[in-house]
Amino acid sequence: MNGSAGRDRAASRTRILGAARRLMAEKGVKQTTLADIAREAGISPGTLFYHYASKNDLIYDILEKHLADLTDAIIASLPRRRDAADLAGALQNALTRLLQDTDSGRMNLYLLQEAIVGNSELKDRFAVRYQAWRELLAGQAARVFGISDPHRLSALGALLLATIDGLTIQFLLAPGSVDLPGLAEELVRLLTADEKGPRPQPAEAG
């Protein structure tokens, strides 16, 4: 394949992926057909099948691009240093940047639904990326907030990721109901708590 043909093929795939992501973010994964995607991309069904033999092949490419974009967004949004003048403000800005991309939020939920309902390969790919996100968030908590306890960092990574997932749903349902300044302040309190203090003991069974 010469350079020109390779560029044309890459451009076609980019156009197909863009069309598929727009439609799936709007309609959902199951409701979007390959015919819909070909029409949205302005190509023939035969051209689409040349690039993607099945809908699953297309979904996997969309998933990889989507997860890479989300990873970049998380990294770009997190506070850069512990001595930031306003950690709550930095966290609020980070959450705002992540949540305002509602198309990406819907896409994430649709892909998760597809993975959970029965697409085992999609589920495995999500599981790997979620583990990477937890470790990324834990590493940022260690660097920015000076947390060193590995057990606490593991729990915080899972908690922060759960917060992002939960806020995505709340923001899509009712953006005005989410108090991001208050939430950011509470997160800073949690993350700056003295890790050397006594750990709460589990309550004894009645």
Side-chain angles (χ1 to χ4, degrees), residues 2-74:
N2 61 42
S4 176
R7 286 192 295 272
D8 289 345
R9 189 168 189 269
S12 292
R13 288 175 73 92
T14 298
R15 190 163 68 251
I16 292 168
L17 287 173
R21 291 183 73 182
R22 286 193 300 275
L23 289 174
M24 289 180 182
E26 177 186 343
K27 300 167 59 175
V29 174
K30 285 192 177 301
Q31 289 71 29
T32 301
T33 67
L34 291 176
D36 293 334
I37 295 168
R39 188 162 46 249
E40 176 74 9
I43 60 175
S44 69
T47 300
L48 177 60
F49 283 119
Y50 170 75
H51 292 283
Y52 293 100
S54 71
K55 187 176 177 181
N56 270 353
D57 289 342
L58 178 55
I59 290 172
Y60 297 146
D61 260 14
I62 290 172
L63 175 69
E64 291 304 317
K65 178 69 166 64
H66 172 72
L67 294 181
D69 289 347
L70 275 181
T71 300
D72 290 344
I74 289 173

Side-chain angles (χ1 to χ4, degrees), residues 76-123:
S77 299
L78 289 169
R80 288 287 174 261
R81 61 191 187 280
R82 187 180 185 184
D83 61 349
D86 180 10
L87 282 174
L91 276 175
Q92 180 185 338
N93 289 337
L95 291 170
T96 299
R97 287 184 63 180
L98 286 169
L99 297 175
Q100 281 183 337
D101 187 356
T102 54
D103 281 349
S104 181
R106 283 195 298 269
M107 192 71 207
N108 200 52
L109 292 178
Y110 287 138
L111 287 168
L112 273 172
Q113 180 186 35
E114 181 76 5
I116 291 169
V117 166
N119 190 323
S120 59
E121 183 173 349
L122 207 60
K123 184 177 181 180

